[in-house]
Amino acid sequence: MSKTEKRDSNELLNFLMIIIGLLFILKAVMEFLAWAGIYTPSWLEDPDLADALSIFGGKAVVSILLGFWSLVSGIGMFKEEEYAMGMGLVVLSIMAAAGIMAIVGWITTPGTFDAAYWPNYVVIVATIVGVLGFFWLLFTYRRYD
């Protein structure tokens, strides 16, 4: 790369990965605190609200790892780091796969989709970000060489 050529990552994708990473970590910390009996937020006492958080992963350990790597990847992609692209591909593919499975479940069993339940829309947005972000990274991989 010449000195005049400037690398430019997709800042929107980077910010989304950082935000999603922070949400994963926050959810995991709350689950760990509830599990340890230290603090149980009201949203974990209500089964409907606790189920809403399952969009970020069913287990706190998985959520915190996925959140950490999403955060590291989002930050690293600002610097066009090769490792960040690889981690981004993994994180985004997991988000896409989990969301696609939820959407397929809604299509095959339409009664399970509640249009008034806001977390369902988070699943849809996370799926779109996962799919589009994954393909964006595939098509722009040369930035990370």
Side-chain angles (χ1 to χ4, degrees):
M1 174 167 54
S2 69
K3 290 185 180 184
T4 59
E5 187 178 339
K6 182 182 176 191
R7 292 179 169 184
D8 184 28
S9 67
N10 184 330
E11 287 81 11
L12 178 61
L13 180 59
N14 301 353
F15 282 121
L16 288 173
M17 299 252 336
I18 290 168
I19 291 167
I20 290 169
L22 291 172
L23 289 172
F24 282 135
I25 292 169
L26 176 67
K27 177 218 181 239
V29 167
M30 290 294 129
E31 286 182 348
F32 280 129
L33 291 174
W35 172 78
I38 298 170
Y39 173 72
T40 304
S42 60
W43 46 263
L44 277 177
E45 293 171 355
D46 181 352
D48 289 337
L49 292 175
D51 287 344
L53 295 174
S54 67
I55 62 173
F56 298 117
K59 304 289 181 200
V61 173
V62 173
S63 292
I64 204 159
L65 289 173
L66 192 56
F68 174 76
W69 292 121
S70 181
L71 190 63
V72 169
S73 177
I75 292 168
M77 286 194 310
F78 275 112
K79 298 178 181 181
E80 305 287 344
E81 297 289 342
E82 229 176 303
Y83 75 86
M85 186 210 122
M87 287 191 313
L89 287 171
V90 171
V91 169
L92 291 167
S93 66
I94 291 170
M95 278 179 24
I100 289 169
M101 292 307 297
I103 291 169
V104 166
W106 294 332
I107 291 170
T108 58
T109 316
T112 59
F113 181 79
D114 181 0
Y117 190 56
W118 66 267
N120 290 340
Y121 298 102
V122 175
V123 171
I124 294 167
V125 170
T127 303
I128 292 168
V129 169
V131 170
L132 294 178
F134 179 82
F135 285 111
W136 174 260
L137 286 181
L138 282 180
F139 294 134
T140 61
Y141 74 93
R142 291 187 188 268
R143 305 174 180 212
Y144 302 95
D145 286 340

